[in-house]
Amino acid sequence: MLIVRTIAEARAALRELRARGLSVGLVPTMGALHEGHLSLVRAARAACDDHPGGVVVVSIFVNPKQFGPNEDFAKYPRTFEADMAALEREGVDLIFAPAAEEMYPQGATAFVEVAGVSGRLDGASRPGHFRGVATVVAKLFNIIEPDKAFFGQKDAAQVAVLKKMVDELNFGLELVACPIVREPDGLAMSSRNRYLSAEERRQALVLSRAVREVERLAAGGVTESSELIAAAEAVLAEEPEVRVDYCKVVDPDTLEDVADTQHGALFAVAAFVGTTRLIDNLVLPTRA
Ligand code: PAF
């Protein structure tokens, strides 16, 4: 497993691999890896291992541009040694782990903005967040030039923003969204789960309970968004200390509210458990 820190090194390594005809799968991360990230690595390996084979690249970069001034950039978990060991076990070929100055040299002012969709769901609560995400992911795409890039569906709004960016800016790659990975008790895996105290960890389960309730009602034929939202809010109210940020049924591409889920929709919830902001969601397929 090769670990590179500079853009020049990453480009040189990839040029050599691509010259051998290998396809490239990229898993962008901010480190603090958990099973959710490793599921992306496995998906990349499976998708890129066709003839004549492929390479899996993982980037590890805690991107300062996607954190607001009062957010958790400084305390975001940095677990480089453990991350390296996990990626080595998964047979990853290349790690790109740049310093902030490598990605954003002094004086850099260029950014990528996917207007509209970037201001919805998490973008509404975290102004500038998706501009930071789109900018760093565009840079990673330009540096690594992957054939496919893998993201977790837990960050459904991020997936919507990045799909639109790939489409409208003509990046020549396929963006693959992989299913949410959950703890045995239902909690969606997240690097931020490690902030939770034991009591908060218990309270946090209310998010996946709300998701399951929406899933149950949808399976039973309920398609009215207001009914699904009311049921989810009733579940969320079981934990009065959990502060709901949003609880919505939206179009999965535009993230705009939809009144009905007949044509496919996304149920998405975000809530603060203590000071930790957690998200969860469910894709509601089109009803035949
Ligand atoms: O999902 C994440 O971990 C980050 O938003 C990403 C895509 C690595 C960009 O920094």
Side-chain angles (χ1 to χ4, degrees), residues 12 29 46 117 163 165 180 232 258:
T29 81
V117 70
K163 273 189 173 160
M165 178 187 86
I180 296 177
V258 291

Side-chain angles (χ1 to χ4, degrees), residues 19-279:
R20 290 196 241 149
L22 303 175
S23 60
V24 178
L26 170 66
V27 180
T29 81
M30 298 203 299
L33 303 181
H34 50 67
E35 270 302 310
H37 296 109
L38 300 184
S39 76
L40 304 180
V41 170
R42 288 170 203 144
R45 169 64 64 214
C48 296
D49 252 358
D50 51 354
H51 181 78
V55 287
V56 176
V57 179
V58 175
S59 62
I60 298 183
F61 179 60
V62 186
N63 173 31
K65 300 240 186 257
Q66 69 187 75
F67 289 81
N70 300 317
E71 293 186 348
D72 56 342
F73 174 69
K75 77 161 184 179
Y76 196 83
R78 286 151 172 95
T79 59
F80 196 70
E81 294 308 318
D83 293 349
M84 289 303 102
L87 296 175
E88 180 96 65
R89 281 195 296 275
E90 293 298 327
V92 165
D93 301 283
L94 178 71
I95 312 293
F96 176 51
E101 312 78 62
E102 179 71 5
M103 290 299 270
Y104 301 113
Q106 233 185 348
T109 54
F111 63 86
V112 176
E113 176 116 40
V114 187
V117 70
S118 287
R120 302 187 187 119
L121 295 190
D122 309 284
S125 327
R126 304 181 65 188
H129 170 65
F130 286 128
R131 173 171 140 159
V133 170
T135 300
V136 80
V137 172
K139 287 169 72 71
L140 290 169
F141 287 173
N142 284 332
I143 295 162
I144 308 293
E145 297 185 63
D147 298 284
K148 295 184 185 192
F150 298 80
F151 296 86
Q153 176 60 32
K154 184 175 74 71
D155 299 306
Q158 172 169 281
V159 167
V161 169
L162 295 178
K163 273 189 173 160
K164 203 163 156 55
M165 178 187 86
V166 165
D167 184 39
E168 292 186 13
L169 296 184
N170 311 102
F171 283 97
L173 59 93
E174 184 189 342
L175 193 153
V176 183
C178 299
I180 296 177
V181 178
R182 296 180 181 280
E183 301 284 357
D185 60 7
L187 183 68
M189 288 200 184
S190 164
S191 302
R192 290 188 167 96
N193 288 350
R194 44 185 108 193
Y195 297 153
L196 302 170
S197 68
E199 171 56 12
E200 289 167 349
R201 172 72 183 67
R202 188 197 62 71
Q203 293 172 0
L205 289 175
V206 78
L207 276 85
S208 52
R209 284 210 304 279
V211 167
R212 279 205 303 275
E213 179 62 359
V214 169
E215 186 171 37
R216 189 184 70 78
L217 291 173
V222 176
T223 61
E224 250 189 58
S225 300
S226 56
E227 196 176 330
L228 296 171
I229 292 166
E233 284 175 343
V235 173
L236 292 164
E238 290 167 9
E239 291 294 349
E241 287 185 36
V242 170
R243 185 164 62 80
V244 178
D245 178 5
Y246 63 71
C247 175
K248 279 174 167 276
V249 176
V250 298
D251 178 290
D253 297 322
T254 66
L255 306 183
E256 283 173 311
D257 292 352
V258 291
D260 195 277
T261 66
Q262 295 269 9
H263 303 295
L266 173 77
F267 166 72
V269 56
F272 287 90
V273 183
T275 54
T276 305
R277 187 175 177 282
L278 299 177
I279 56 177

